[in-house]
Every structure is written in C-alpha cells, then in structure tokens.
C-alpha cells in the first residue's frame, strides 16, 4: 500500500495527497506533518520507511470539504486520490492485491465548485496571463458558473486588472513568472506556473476548437496570439486539475480595455468598493448598496461595481430599467418576491457538468426555470424598457424540461444520488415495482414472524436483520431448546448463539431476503440510471439555461437598484459625452447608512467641476481636520462610479460627463514588506496618477506631501496640482492643509478654492460639514487634538507654540529665532482662563445639583420640570 502511495505522490510533489482508505482520506510523510499543523489535527505514525516512523494523519471523507477549504485558504493544493474499485474486486486478482487508486481531481484555489467551499455572492476566478513579444493578454474563467472572458492586457495594466477581477489563482508561463508573480500576489491571488507549451497559440486554438466542437473560432471573435495562448493555458490547466472532466464553459467573450472605467488597485482600496480597509465586506460600498436577492444577482452587482461601463448606450439602458421599476412599484415588488425563490442555477449547472452534482442540483434547475417562467409571465404585462424586455424573453422556452423534471423528481430530493429516493412515484414502472417489493418486504417479514411464532408456540420470537447474518429468527436461550430439537429443528436451522439469545433461519426466510435485497439494489440502480438520463437532458440545454440564469441576475440587479433608489431617495443621473461634473446635494452612501443607524443625518454638499462654461476643472479644498474633506472627495468619486455602473446616485441631481479613469489618493500607510515608508507609498500612488490620468479622468487627491518636511511637501503638492491642470487636464478634487496653495486659483484658470465651514464657540470647534466656495485660513489642528483626548497640558503647550510660530511668521523673523524665543515647556501648564458662566446656568446648576431622579416620584419630577422651565423663561 505504501509503495502505491509513493508512486502516486511522485506525480504530485507540490500538492498534499488525500489518499482514500475506506471512510478516511489519509496523509503520510511531509504531507501529514504540514496538514496536521494547518488543520490542527492529531499527527500519528504508522509503520516504518527506511527504518523511520511514517508520520500520518487523516480526515473523514464525509467532512472533507471543510478541511479542503481550510487548506486552500492557507495556500495548499490538494490532490484527491480515490479508490477506483472495492476490496472484493481487488481480491479477485489475489489475496494480497492492493485496491486500485488514482488522483481524480487536483483542488486549487481557482478550481473550486462545491457549494460549501464558495461564497455564493462572489465569483471564484481562475486567470491566466500571457505575453507574446510584449503583447499581453489576460483570460479568466469561473468554472462554478462557466463565465469565460479574455482581453488585451499590457503588462503595465496587469495589476489594475487583477485588482478589478480579484481572481483566486493566476496561471503564468514559466518564462513570465518572475516578471508577473509580484502583481499576482499583490492582488491576493495564488500564482501557478505552467510550461511554455501550455501557452502556445497554435496548440491553444486546437484545444478550444475541440472544447467547443466547432470548425473555427471566428464566430466567437478575433483573438490575438497572446489572447489565444492565455485561453489555451486555462483550458490546459483545467484539463490537468479536473483529470479530463472539463467544466461547462461558455464561449469566450472578448472584452475591450476601454469598455470599462479604469480603476487601479490603490483607488479600489481607498474607496472601499468591495472590501473595507479592515479586509471584510462589511462597511464597503458593495455591502451598503447590495439589495439583490439571488446569488447570481449578487455576483453581477459585484462585477458592475468593480467594472463601471463606459458605453453610453449600455449605461442609459441600465438607467431606463431602474427608472421603469422605480415608477412601477407593484411590478418591482412582485418581481423581487419571485426572485427570492430562485436558486443558484449557474453553479448547479456547473456541478452537473463536472459530475459533482446530485439530485438537489437537478431540483435547483427545475425550480429556477419554473420561477423564471412565472417571472416572464408577470413582466409581460408591462411595456418594458429594452434591457428588461430582452431579459424577459430569455426567461422563456423551458417548458418541456420543466415538465420532465417536475414529473421525475420529488419535491425535496436528497443531496446524493447514491442515497436514492429522489425519483417521484409513477415516473418509471420498473422502479415502482422494485420499490414495492422492497418496501412491502417489511410487511412480508412481519407476516412471516407471526407465522413462525404460531408454528413454534413461542410468542417472544422475533425476525431481525443485521449486515452480517441478514434476516434471522431470534429467541431467548430458554425457548431455543425447543427449536433445537425435532420436529422444529427440521425447519429451523441454527445460525448463531450469543450470550442472551439464539438465532435461526429457514429456507423460506433466506429466499425472501434475497428477493428483498435484490429489489432494493435494483431500485437504486434504476434511480442512478434515471439520474444520468435527466442530467444529460439538462446539459443538452446548458447554453439556454445559462442565458436564463444571466437574465435573472440582470433583473435582480435592476430591481435592487430601484429598491435602493426608492428607499434612500437617490436620483437618476444624466450621463453624456461632455466633461461636466455637476452634483447637487451629493451624499456618501456608506457614511450616510452608518449615520442613519445612529439617528443622525448626513450633510449633503454640491460639487460643480467642468461643464464647459465657467466652472473650474479642479477644486482646491481647504479646511480643518475632521470637517469632512475626505468624505466629500470620496462621495463624488463614488457618485461617478455608481452612475456608470447603472445605478441611481445619492444626490438630488447629477450631470456627469463620461469618466474614463478614476484615481484616488486618500489616506496612507507604509508597505514594510517592500521597504516603503508612508511617504514613499504616497509618492508611488501619486506618480501613477500623473503618468496615466487623461482629460476624461476624475482624480481625488487628499493631502499630497504631508509625509515629509513642510516645504518639501508644499512644493510637491504645488507642482502636482499644476501638472494635473496643465498636462493631465483632468477633473479633480484636491484637498490640502497648505493654505499657501490657495494662491493658485489666481494663477490657474481651471482652479477654484473651496472650503468646509466651521464655527468657534467658547473655545470649541463645531464642524458644520458644509462645503462652499472660498479658502480656509487655519486648520484647527490643536482643537482636533483636544477632541481626541490629548492631555490638557499638551493642548495648552501646543497653543503657546502655535501662537509664537504664527507671530514669528507675521513679523518675518527666522523660524530658528522663533523656536529659541519659546518659553520652556512646563509640565503644569497655566490653566485656561475661566469662562464666566451666565446667571441662568448657575441657577440651573443649583436646582439640578440636589435632584436625584432615581428617588423621585412622578409628581416630584413634574414639579422639577416646571421649575427648570421657569428659570429658562426668566
């Protein structure tokens, strides 16, 4: 057995080998040591190899999926080795023959299909990057849904595109691994190396032609050599990992790089599009706006948010669908209610295609198609916009398959085909007859028990069953003596004596057992055959079923957007080919949702950049910390993104010229793994913006240059703003604490100053969160430090230093001289001057000082309230 293990393991040196032994997957040698540590299970030993103990651990087959998920998440690949025959078959070749085993599947991060291993509302992409003489291409597939895409992708765009797709695994050529592995790991994916031949475009074309059983790929589009090689590498890798059982892949769809708004990895992270900065989904834009009710709709929404469209016709069609559903509330609500009953058709179909499905997947197809048919009937009653009308048409045409599955399957089938009991009574005559014999056999056995009890005169006699003896007659030792002697011994054959009972059989009982057992096995075999037949019928219509699943997702996203717009008061944006950016009373969707939970309201603000007349291209935003500058920047970026994703926007109105690229440099953190300081990270991100942004881009920059010396930072921020204005000519929001930069509005025609209002009252700062034209004269940093809880002595000292520095600057004295003139720090700072308290506050304080609410009677509390009211009136 160990010789067989070592032989199989040799073919999979980079994977943990799950070696099937009965009801367990066992791991040996280094695999066992690694798995035991990763899964926190016991490490044992079994036998010896080369004189040393063999480490061993194992997991039960029935709960293996959970362990597989843990290993995949920790970066392991797992080769699943199954028994290809039972021990009885092996013994026919000799008493010491080993059961045949082989790897049936290689489990990797990008090739998961099991429902329990996947997030239902997220795609699980496997990608491949290919480079042919400087021409790059990226292909990606989700084998759990069959989605297959490819696009041209220069090496420079690999990082941003991987950030958009968030694949779990990326296949790279052995000649390209060194150059691309860093971009892959930065995107959180696992790099996998394949030989150069897997990326050969000629071989790839043959693979794809064989896969789709066509004479040419021309019907799917024109693909470059790099694109063909990337797609071929994915098919080759799937063939390797699935051991020849290729999944149902839709024809490849070629995407154009200019078809979607370009958003780099830093911007996605800063804007928290699909994940918050803490790493979870909660607190992200996606989590806040997700009103979808189906798994497919959730996945489509994530794609829309990750890849906002730049196609005006597509954007307008999406908005028309949302507008219709917003106006037709009854249709919207009934549609959403019907969608709640739709299972995950795509993933059920994929599992059936990979032979990993079961009766419940067939039931999911049946229920999903039936719900789609019902939904189509409801939608046909309205005059639908193009997007919904097209989707509605794709819901129809499955009546024969629905009827077949409805007649064949029970309402709630079991998970596995081997469990049986999923074919409905009346569907197959042979199955019904076998079931009748199997089930009525129990009543026959009960009748035989009564007959034997009467014949022997032993009322306590029972007919029982176990897996060793089959059916047997059991009686107590006291009564057994009667059956062991003639004449009863001629009929009852002794089988076994136990401590408390004696067991017998008869020829008639043995014959009946054979009939009953054969009936049960025959019924199960018939069901398995019918399962295969039904699966075949479903897979014949896989393309049409896939279209229906996508149509359901489209409708789900549209109704979700409509529900969001209705409940949160979002407006339809005007999107055109201009450079306009006009937002009236815009809001940040995530911050507003968080404030709503606390009962607070969000302060809406306008933003008016370029409209081709008198508006500025760039707003230079100044104001104190904590006033809401970063929120204002982010909300306008999100409004543009939501509008082009097909959603209404959190504003009273919005007019947005098509945004080609979205860049954000908000917040900062260091990158210790690469030896980058906070300032270095900031500069790298800023450089990426200045080198890539075009005149259709929307750029938001927050406090550029804050990570270095004041004058260095000011000079970098100044030059950056000038470059955006003169060279990139982008629409931008630029927040800064360098008040000197407000002078640029006088020198650059496209720059306008804006600030956020604050009020000072009795030494305190009140943030109004209102943006208006103009410039701030100070940043209120010391006041914010006080709010944060710095010791009063520190705050007081900071005020002293600030006053001295500002005085020195006004008088033109050198900075060193100013520092030299500062009084030495005193740990016990002078107390702040006491503010005189108004008389009415003193009266209130006196009254309330002696009031004890816990001890008051209701009449006393009412009396106190009147007294307080009187003080306020006076």
């Amino acid at each position: 057995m160990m010789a067989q293990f070592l032989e199989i393991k040799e073919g999979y040196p980079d994977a943990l080998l799950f070696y099937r032994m009965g009801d367990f997957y066992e791991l040996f040698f280094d695999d066992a040591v690694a798995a035991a540590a990763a899964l926190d299970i016991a490490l044992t030993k079994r036998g010896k190899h080369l004189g040393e103990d063999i480490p061993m651990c194992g997991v039960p087959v029935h709960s293996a999926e959970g362990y597989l998920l843990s290993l995949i998440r920790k970066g392991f690949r797992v080769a699943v080795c199954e028994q290809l025959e039972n021990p009885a078959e092996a013994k026919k070749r000799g008493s010491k023959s080993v059961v045949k085993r082989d790897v049936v599947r290689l489990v990797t991060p990008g090739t998961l299909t099991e429902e329990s291993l996947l997030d239902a509302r997220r795609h699980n992409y496997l990608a491949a990057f290919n480079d042919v003489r400087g021409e790059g291409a990226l292909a990606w597939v989700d084998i759990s849904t069959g989605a297959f895409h490819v696009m041209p992708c220069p090496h420079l765009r690999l990082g941003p595109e991987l950030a958009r797709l968030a694949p779990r695994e990326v296949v790279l050529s052995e000649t390209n691994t060194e150059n691309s592995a860093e971009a892959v790991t930065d995107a959180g994916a696992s790099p996998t190396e394949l030989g150069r031949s897997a990326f050969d475009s000629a071989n790839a074309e043959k693979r794809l032609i064989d896969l789709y059983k066509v004479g040419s790929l021309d019907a799917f589009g024109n693909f470059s050599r790099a694109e063909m090689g990337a797609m071929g590498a994915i098919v080759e890798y799937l063939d390797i990992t699935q051991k020849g059982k290729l999944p149902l892949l839709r024809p490849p769809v070629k995407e154009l790089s200019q078809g979607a708004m370009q958003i780099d990895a830093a911007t996605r992270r800063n804007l928290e599009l699909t994940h918050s900065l803490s790493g979870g989904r909660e607190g992200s834009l996606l989590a806040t706006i997700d009103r979808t009710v189906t798994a497919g709709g959730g996945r489509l929404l994530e794609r829309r948010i990750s890849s906002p469209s730049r196609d005006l016709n597509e954007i307008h069609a999406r908005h028309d669908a949302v507008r219709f559903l917003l106006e037709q509330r009854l249709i919207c609500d009934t549609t959403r209610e019907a969608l709640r009953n739709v299972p995950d058709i795509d993933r059920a179909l994929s599992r059936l295609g990979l032979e990993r499905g079961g009766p419940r997947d067939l039931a999911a197809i049946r229920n999903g198609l039936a719900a789609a048919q019902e939904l189509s009937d409801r939608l046909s009653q309205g005059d639908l916009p193009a997007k919904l009308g097209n989707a509605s048409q794709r819901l129809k045409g499955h009546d024969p398959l629905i009827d077949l599955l409805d007649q064949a399957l029970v309402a709630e089938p079991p998970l596995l085909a081997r469990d049986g009991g999923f074919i409905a009574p009346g569907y197959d005559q042979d199955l019904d007859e076998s079931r009748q014999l199997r089930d009525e056999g129990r009543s026959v056995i009960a009748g035989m028990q009564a007959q034997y009890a009467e014949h022997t005169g032993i009322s306590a006699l029972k007919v029982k069953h176990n897996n060793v003896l089959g059916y047997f007659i059991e009686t107590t030792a006291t009564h057994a003596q009667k059956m062991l002697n003639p004449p009863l011994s001629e009929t009852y054959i002794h089988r076994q004596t136990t401590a408390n009972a004696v067991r017998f059989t008869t020829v008639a009982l043995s014959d009946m057992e054979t009939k009953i057992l054969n009936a049960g096995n025959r019924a199960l075999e018939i069901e398995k055959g019918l399962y295969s037949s039904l699966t075949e019928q479903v897979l014949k219509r896989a393309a049409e079923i896939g279209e229906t699943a996508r149509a359901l997702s489209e409708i789900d996203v549209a109704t979700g957007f409509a529900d969001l717009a209705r409940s949160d008061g979002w407006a339809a944006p005007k999107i055109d080919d201009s450079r306009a950016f006009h937002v009236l009373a815009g809001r940040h969707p995530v911050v507003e949702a968080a404030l709503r939970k606390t009962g607070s309201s969000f302060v809406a603000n306008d933003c008016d950049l370029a409209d081709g007349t008198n508006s500025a291209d760039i707003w230079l935003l100044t104001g104190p910390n904590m006033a809401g500058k970063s929120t204002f920047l982010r909300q306008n970026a999100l409004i543009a993104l939501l509008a082009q994703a097909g959603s209404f926007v959190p504003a009273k109105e919005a007019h947005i010229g098509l945004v080609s690229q979205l860049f954000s440099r908000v917040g900062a953190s260091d990158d210790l793994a690469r030896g980058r300081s906070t300032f270095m990270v900031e500069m790298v991100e800023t450089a990426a913006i200045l080198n890539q942004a075009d005149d259709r881009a929307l750029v938001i920059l927050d406090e550029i240059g804050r990570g270095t010396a004041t004058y260095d930072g000011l000079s970098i921020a100044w030059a950056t703003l000038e470059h955006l204005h003169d060279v990139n000519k982008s629409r931008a929001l630029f927040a800064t604490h360098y008040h000197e930069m407000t002078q640029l509005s006088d020198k650059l025609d496209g720059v306008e100053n804006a600030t956020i209002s604050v009020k000072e009252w009795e030494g305190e700062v009140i943030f109004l969160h209102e943006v208006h034209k103009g410039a701030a004269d100070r940043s209120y940093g010391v006041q914010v430090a006080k709010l944060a809880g710095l010791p009063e002595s520190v705050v007081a000292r900071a005020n002293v230093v600030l006053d001295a520095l500002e005085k020195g600057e006004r008088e033109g004295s050198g900075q060193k001289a100013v520092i030299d003139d500062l009084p030495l720090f005193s740990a016990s700072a002078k107390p702040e001057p006491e503010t005189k308290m108004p008389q009415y506050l003193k009266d209130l304080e006196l009254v309330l000082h002696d009031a004890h609410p816990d001890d008051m009677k209701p009449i006393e509390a009412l009396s106190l309230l009147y007294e307080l009211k009187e003080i306020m009136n006076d």
Side-chain angles (χ1 to χ4, degrees):
M1 189 273 291
M2 290 309 300
Q4 183 191 61
F5 170 87
L6 291 169
E7 182 182 353
I8 296 172
K9 173 64 182 174
E10 189 176 355
Y12 301 90
D14 299 328
L16 300 180
L17 184 62
F18 266 38
Y19 184 83
R20 178 76 176 264
M21 294 179 67
D23 292 334
F24 278 78
Y25 287 119
E26 303 289 2
L27 297 97
F28 299 97
F29 299 104
D30 292 343
D31 287 2
V33 175
L39 299 174
D40 193 23
I41 57 178
L43 180 68
T44 61
K45 56 188 177 182
R46 177 171 178 176
K48 291 183 179 292
H49 179 69
L50 302 179
E52 295 186 5
D53 292 333
I54 300 174
M56 168 185 167
C57 69
V59 299
V61 170
H62 66 83
S63 59
E65 285 187 3
Y67 293 107
L68 277 175
L69 180 59
S70 296
L71 291 171
I72 293 299
R73 283 177 173 168
K74 292 181 178 181
F76 293 97
R77 293 149 56 88
V78 180
V80 179
C81 178
E82 294 286 0
Q83 295 178 182
L84 304 182
E85 62 181 359
N86 60 44
E89 291 171 322
K91 284 183 179 178
K92 293 177 183 177
R93 300 194 307 272
S95 60
K96 293 189 178 182
S97 296
V98 179
V99 173
K100 286 182 181 178
R101 294 179 175 87
D102 203 355
V103 172
V104 298
R105 177 188 174 198
L106 188 61
V107 184
T108 69
T111 58
L112 301 175
T113 55
E114 287 80 0
E115 193 173 1
S116 60
L117 304 186
L118 295 172
D119 183 341
R121 306 185 73 78
R122 291 196 63 199
H123 277 288
N124 191 70
Y125 284 131
L126 166 71
F129 178 71
N130 188 27
D131 189 291
V132 179
R133 292 184 294 277
E135 180 187 0
L138 184 68
W140 63 97
V141 65
D142 182 349
I143 71 168
S144 70
T145 65
F148 196 5
H149 298 264
V150 66
M151 69 178 292
C153 180
H155 197 279
L156 183 67
R157 291 289 310 161
L158 178 59
E161 291 302 334
L162 292 179
R164 172 174 73 94
L165 297 169
R168 295 289 304 280
E169 185 176 9
V170 181
V171 179
L172 301 170
S173 167
E174 60 187 3
T175 60
N176 195 35
T177 301
E178 187 175 343
N179 295 332
S180 306
E182 185 176 325
V184 172
T185 52
D186 282 351
S190 172
T192 298
E193 186 178 295
L194 274 187
R196 293 173 61 186
S197 61
F199 289 82
D200 181 78
S201 58
N203 291 338
E205 186 172 7
K206 292 177 184 176
R207 283 192 210 104
L208 292 165
I209 286 173
D210 291 343
L211 173 65
Y212 293 108
K213 297 180 174 57
V214 294
S216 165
L217 297 177
D218 292 345
F220 301 149
N222 296 318
F223 303 106
S224 68
R225 286 192 173 276
E227 291 168 338
M228 196 74 75
M231 291 189 293
I234 280 186
V235 175
E236 172 79 1
Y237 187 62
L238 290 177
D239 192 48
I240 293 169
T241 57
Q242 308 308 304
K243 306 299 289 183
K245 293 179 183 176
L246 284 173
L248 293 171
L249 298 182
R250 300 179 207 150
V253 176
K254 182 170 181 176
E255 292 191 3
L256 300 176
S257 56
Q258 65 268 30
M261 181 192 291
Q262 292 185 13
I263 312 172
D264 63 17
T267 300
R268 292 178 189 279
R269 184 172 59 253
N270 291 335
L271 294 180
E272 301 178 283
L273 298 186
T274 57
H275 294 86
S276 67
L277 291 175
S278 62
R281 191 173 186 268
E282 191 66 29
S284 67
L285 174 68
L286 179 62
T288 301
I289 69 167
D290 190 355
R291 301 289 178 89
T292 58
V293 294
T294 69
R299 294 193 293 267
L300 178 59
L301 177 63
E302 183 178 25
R303 292 203 303 276
R304 292 271 178 88
I305 295 301
S306 298
S307 308
S309 178
R310 286 168 60 184
D311 184 333
L312 277 176
N313 292 330
E314 175 67 18
I315 294 169
H316 291 157
R318 293 175 183 177
H319 288 160
D320 289 344
V322 177
R323 187 178 293 107
F324 171 84
L325 292 165
L326 191 59
E327 294 169 354
Q328 302 291 332
R329 180 162 188 172
L330 181 60
I331 292 178
C332 182
D333 289 347
T334 56
T335 299
R336 282 174 61 77
E337 197 57 38
L339 285 168
R340 293 182 194 278
N341 301 320
V342 174
D344 198 338
I345 297 176
D346 270 332
R347 287 189 168 167
L349 191 62
S350 176
R351 285 191 293 271
L352 291 171
L354 283 166
E355 299 180 17
R356 293 180 199 148
R360 285 186 190 172
D361 291 311
L362 289 175
I365 300 292
R366 174 195 63 190
N367 298 342
L369 296 181
Q373 181 63 55
E374 180 188 348
L375 195 54
S376 175
D377 295 339
R378 291 186 183 184
L379 290 174
S380 63
Q381 300 170 8
D383 185 14
L384 303 176
K387 199 79 175 170
L388 291 178
N390 179 269
S392 178
Q393 289 300 315
R394 289 183 285 157
L395 301 179
K396 302 177 180 178
H398 303 290
D399 289 346
L401 183 58
I402 295 171
D403 291 341
L404 173 65
L405 294 175
D406 204 34
Q407 293 171 17
L409 298 172
V410 297
E412 297 290 339
L415 179 64
L416 302 173
R418 67 169 181 255
D419 293 337
F422 54 88
I423 297 296
Y427 178 72
D428 185 270
Q429 184 177 351
D430 289 344
L431 176 60
D432 289 344
E433 289 175 357
S434 296
R435 281 176 171 173
Q436 185 177 12
L437 181 57
R438 179 198 67 193
D439 298 337
E440 290 185 0
R442 295 170 185 168
S443 61
V444 171
I445 293 296
M448 293 180 77
Q449 176 178 301
Q451 179 186 338
Y452 292 145
E454 183 180 352
H455 182 241
T456 60
I458 304 171
S459 59
L461 175 148
K462 301 290 182 185
V463 177
K464 296 184 177 181
H465 181 274
N466 65 32
N467 291 332
V468 177
L469 298 180
Y471 284 103
F472 56 85
I473 303 164
E474 183 176 277
T475 186
T476 61
T478 306
H479 294 120
Q481 196 62 39
K482 183 178 179 182
M483 296 173 66
L484 289 169
N485 296 322
L488 293 181
S489 61
E490 297 172 5
T491 304
Y492 300 97
I493 305 165
H494 178 249
R495 292 291 304 278
Q496 188 181 51
T497 300
T498 68
N500 301 315
V502 182
R503 293 167 177 173
F504 301 85
T505 189
T506 67
V507 174
L509 184 60
S510 297
D511 290 344
M512 182 56 65
E513 177 184 4
T514 301
K515 290 179 182 179
I516 291 172
L517 290 177
N518 287 344
N521 291 333
R522 176 167 166 71
L524 189 56
E525 289 304 315
I526 293 173
E527 283 203 81
K528 288 180 179 178
L530 292 173
Y531 170 78
S532 298
S533 174
L534 293 172
T535 300
E536 184 180 346
Q537 292 299 315
V538 168
L539 296 180
K540 281 181 181 178
R541 295 188 55 82
E544 294 88 342
I545 295 171
E547 282 296 316
T548 295
R550 289 189 287 282
L552 289 166
S553 299
E554 186 82 46
I555 295 169
D556 188 19
V557 170
T559 55
F561 278 154
D563 184 70
L564 178 68
R566 180 183 297 111
S567 64
D568 291 6
W570 289 18
K574 176 184 177 183
I575 306 289
D576 56 26
D577 204 26
S578 69
R579 279 174 45 83
F581 195 92
H582 169 74
V583 175
L584 180 64
R587 312 186 301 276
H588 192 299
V590 182
V591 177
E592 184 180 33
L595 288 174
R596 193 182 299 123
K597 292 178 182 177
T598 65
S600 304
S601 59
F602 187 93
V603 178
N605 280 297
D606 302 344
C607 182
D608 196 4
L609 298 179
D611 65 4
T613 56
N614 58 358
S615 291
D617 292 317
I618 300 175
W619 271 19
L620 182 61
L621 190 64
T622 53
N625 290 302
M626 292 293 294
K629 295 194 303 297
S630 296
T631 299
F632 179 73
L633 265 58
R634 286 185 170 99
Q635 76 186 38
N636 286 291
L638 294 180
I639 285 171
L641 183 146
L642 286 166
Q644 290 184 213
S647 170
F648 282 16
V649 297
K652 283 189 177 179
E653 64 179 63
H655 177 196
I656 298 171
L658 211 58
V659 174
S660 62
Q661 303 162 294
L662 188 61
F663 291 105
S664 166
R665 231 253 30 102
V666 179
S669 60
D670 52 25
D671 188 351
L672 297 179
R674 296 192 196 170
R676 291 177 177 175
S677 66
T678 301
F679 179 67
M680 184 60 177
V681 171
E682 179 184 320
M683 290 299 99
V684 168
E685 293 179 3
T686 305
I689 295 171
L690 298 181
N691 288 326
Q692 298 177 51
D694 60 25
D695 62 346
R696 291 282 181 171
L698 176 63
V699 179
I700 60 171
L701 293 168
D702 190 10
E703 298 185 36
I704 294 298
R706 65 181 170 180
T708 187
T710 303
Y711 290 118
D712 286 353
L714 173 58
S715 61
I716 292 170
W718 190 293
T720 298
L721 183 58
E722 287 182 338
H723 194 281
L724 277 173
H725 181 274
D726 299 336
V727 180
N728 303 106
K729 299 184 185 301
S730 304
R731 292 164 287 182
L733 294 169
F734 195 112
T736 185
H737 282 296
Y738 297 127
H739 300 123
E740 296 87 343
M741 291 184 64
T742 57
Q743 301 167 31
L744 281 169
S745 63
D746 300 328
K747 300 178 180 180
L748 302 177
D749 293 338
V751 175
E752 189 165 358
N753 290 325
T755 187
I756 300 191
S757 301
V758 296
K759 289 286 186 184
E760 289 188 73
W761 185 74
E762 294 189 358
E764 300 291 334
V765 177
I766 300 172
F767 301 113
L768 302 180
H769 306 297
E770 294 174 354
V771 178
H772 61 83
K773 298 293 178 64
D777 57 354
R778 55 187 299 198
S779 291
Y780 297 95
V782 176
Q783 286 83 350
V784 173
K786 182 179 179 182
L787 289 176
L790 261 66
E792 289 186 10
S793 58
V794 175
V795 173
R797 173 62 172 170
N799 275 314
V800 171
V801 175
L802 178 63
D803 289 342
L805 289 172
E806 289 178 343
K807 180 182 177 183
E809 190 172 300
R810 286 193 300 270
E811 294 175 357
S813 58
Q815 191 178 31
K816 184 178 184 303
V818 172
I819 295 296
D820 289 342
D821 291 340
L822 285 172
L824 291 177
F825 177 76
S826 170
S828 55
K830 294 179 182 178
E832 294 184 11
E834 187 176 335
T835 305
K836 186 176 180 181
M837 183 183 291
Q839 184 59 43
Y840 77 91
L841 286 179
K842 292 181 179 179
D843 294 340
L844 284 173
E845 186 178 37
L846 286 172
V847 172
L848 290 173
H849 182 271
D850 296 324
H852 301 287
D854 288 347
D855 301 330
M856 280 186 177
K857 297 177 181 177
I859 189 64
E860 292 172 339
L862 184 61
S863 176
L864 176 64
L865 189 59
Y866 279 122
E867 189 175 353
L868 294 175
K869 182 74 173 175
E870 186 177 346
I871 293 172
M872 292 301 297
N873 288 339
D874 290 343

